[in-house]
Amino acid sequence: MVADFYAMKGMSEDPEQQSAADVFCQEGDLTENADGSATCIISEVGAFADLDLGQQEGGITFSPAGDGLVRIAMATEALSEEISGGEPLDAETASLAEAIFIGRTFTLSFSGAEITDTNMTLSEDATIATKSLPIIDIIKGEIELPQEFYAVVRAQ
């Protein structure tokens, strides 16, 4: 999470409110970087069928897609709601959001040994599928999104 967002996650005048670290990385290993950004890594090991992979929280899903393949998908409805808060903005808040987020992007990447199918931008070596979206366009609802972004990844 970039520094600006990470700092905002911790802003609250309520002493009972969770810290930015607690909100951002409840289950993983948190690294707070020198530039103010943060990284959260969540690892799970075991048989594919037994892994939760964060699917209980929604957002990104993982499903078997055949011989050594995993289909990774993120519903864009969840993305829009997460970024915009799911509520229309009043004029003052919209103006503030534009000042903060103009020129900033949200980038989603899926990677593996090989990407065999995707609706995202595929790297030249076919190991990373990426999609970058202007945050302000998502907040304002001024971007047409597919139902989901996905990649079918060879996991082995």
Side-chain angles (χ1 to χ4, degrees), residues 89-103:
L89 303 179
D90 60 59
E92 184 179 339
T93 305
S95 177
L96 178 61
E98 188 154 359
I100 294 171
F101 298 113
I102 196 77

Side-chain angles (χ1 to χ4, degrees), residues 23-80:
V23 171
F24 173 59
C25 192
Q26 296 176 355
E27 298 176 22
D29 293 323
L30 176 72
T31 302
E32 292 180 320
N33 304 308
D35 66 356
S37 66
T39 304
C40 182
I41 298 175
I42 300 170
S43 299
E44 292 186 45
V45 178
F48 184 79
D50 298 335
L51 300 177
D52 169 43
L53 301 170
Q55 294 186 86
Q56 299 299 323
E57 291 83 26
I60 296 178
T61 59
F62 299 82
S63 54
D67 188 31
L69 299 174
V70 176
R71 187 177 191 282
I72 306 170
M74 178 177 192
T76 57
E77 182 179 343
L79 170 68
S80 297

Side-chain angles (χ1 to χ4, degrees), residues 79-89 139:
L79 170 68
S80 297
E81 287 178 11
E82 182 69 26
I83 290 177
S84 69
E87 298 291 324
L89 303 179
I139 291 171

Side-chain angles (χ1 to χ4, degrees), residues 118-132:
T118 186
N119 64 347
M120 300 162 67
T121 302
L122 189 60
S123 65
E124 284 187 33
D125 65 358
T127 61
I128 303 170
T130 305
K131 186 66 178 178
S132 291

